[in-house]
Amino acid sequence: MAGKVFFSVTMSLDGFMAPEPVPVEDVFSPQGRDDPSVRRWMTKWSELQAWLFPQRWFRENLQLGEGGEEGLDNDIARATFERTGASVMGKRMFEAGELAWPEEAPFHTPVFVVTHTRREPWERKGGTTFHFVDDGISSALDQAREAAGERDVRIAGGAEIIQQYLDGGLIDEFSITLAPVLFGTGIRLFDRVDADRLTLAQARADTSSRVTHLTYTVGKR
């Protein structure tokens, strides 16, 4: 039996899943980090993801050292990873991660990158192989489903790819971790989604001292 297709993101209280974009090469270069716009981006991103950084599972998965917090947030982060048999992401997310991920990329499963550029698969240590799909989101999802087997497929991001899968009626459920921060501007998760095509039902809500985790199932109108 095939698994579900889902996404899980952290979102600010005013509906943004990321700050205003800046060039990825600037974010991950010593020279770029002196740029005020890059410093603002890093500050906002760090505030948004602050709930995740101290978690034991997160630290172990990125090989940041032993120790860390345990509890609801840690359990949810670990469960999201363990249910995922393959991931799909957009080119921009891959390009940012290619600069930031350690040699042992944190997925440990196949990852399918939606792109317009042909490229041979890129195998990393620890079980992650990036496959580059240049014939659309449906093809990427079909390949991810086959690779995932009975486990779930995660649409990793960014926002544009998630919106395309939502509009295509290809998402079964999603989780939003609502963080107590305000961005004012940035990248909205649901900006281009056709709301008339979707119905949502709340499946669960879990609250920790840091954030609120909301899970919804997705239906078609």
Side-chain angles (χ1 to χ4, degrees):
M1 181 177 179
K4 295 178 179 179
V5 180
F6 79 104
F7 67 86
S8 58
V9 298
T10 304
M11 192 166 72
S12 69
L13 279 176
D14 50 351
F16 298 98
M17 63 173 286
E20 292 284 3
V22 295
V24 294
E25 60 271 16
D26 290 349
V27 176
F28 300 107
S29 70
Q31 299 82 7
R33 291 176 187 177
D34 291 333
D35 186 304
S37 64
V38 173
R39 289 202 300 268
R40 286 195 299 272
W41 190 96
M42 290 295 293
T43 297
K44 286 187 171 184
W45 180 254
S46 297
E47 290 175 350
L48 186 67
Q49 303 295 341
W51 72 275
L52 182 60
F53 298 145
Q55 304 308 318
R56 183 183 184 92
W57 173 84
F58 179 82
R59 292 180 55 79
E60 290 175 350
N61 191 41
L62 284 181
Q63 300 180 2
L64 299 176
E66 297 181 355
E69 296 182 6
E70 298 189 31
L72 175 66
D73 292 336
N74 187 67
D75 292 344
I76 287 175
R78 183 185 296 276
T80 301
F81 172 81
E82 290 177 346
R83 69 183 286 193
T84 302
S87 295
V88 177
M89 68 177 59
K91 180 182 178 183
R92 178 178 170 80
M93 181 176 179
F94 170 77
E95 289 176 342
E98 189 175 19
L99 297 172
W101 293 318
E103 185 178 1
E104 185 172 321
F107 300 95
H108 309 294
T109 62
V111 178
F112 296 86
V113 181
V114 180
T115 179
H116 296 296
T117 305
R118 285 188 177 272
R119 178 172 168 178
E120 291 300 311
W122 187 39
E123 186 174 349
R124 308 300 288 156
K125 293 172 63 175
T128 301
T129 299
F130 294 95
H131 302 271
F132 301 89
V133 182
D134 64 354
D135 55 350
I137 63 169
S138 294
S139 176
L141 181 57
D142 288 344
Q143 294 178 58
R145 282 187 185 277
E146 184 175 355
E150 295 184 358
R151 296 169 72 191
D152 297 338
V153 173
R154 182 182 184 186
I155 310 303
E160 184 176 346
I161 287 293
I162 290 173
Q163 290 160 5
Q164 289 180 41
Y165 278 103
L166 278 170
D167 269 348
L170 299 171
I171 298 293
D172 297 311
E173 70 175 42
F174 64 86
S175 296
I176 292 175
T177 297
L178 202 57
V181 297
L182 299 173
F183 275 10
T185 60
I187 298 174
R188 289 191 180 276
L189 175 58
F190 298 112
D191 246 2
R192 299 181 180 88
V193 173
D194 185 353
D196 291 335
R197 302 176 64 179
L198 302 175
T199 62
L200 304 179
Q202 185 161 310
R204 60 182 296 172
D206 300 285
T207 302
S208 73
S209 61
R210 294 180 182 272
V211 290
T212 299
H213 304 276
L214 303 171
T215 300
Y216 301 88
T217 57
V218 184
K220 301 177 184 178
R221 289 190 188 276

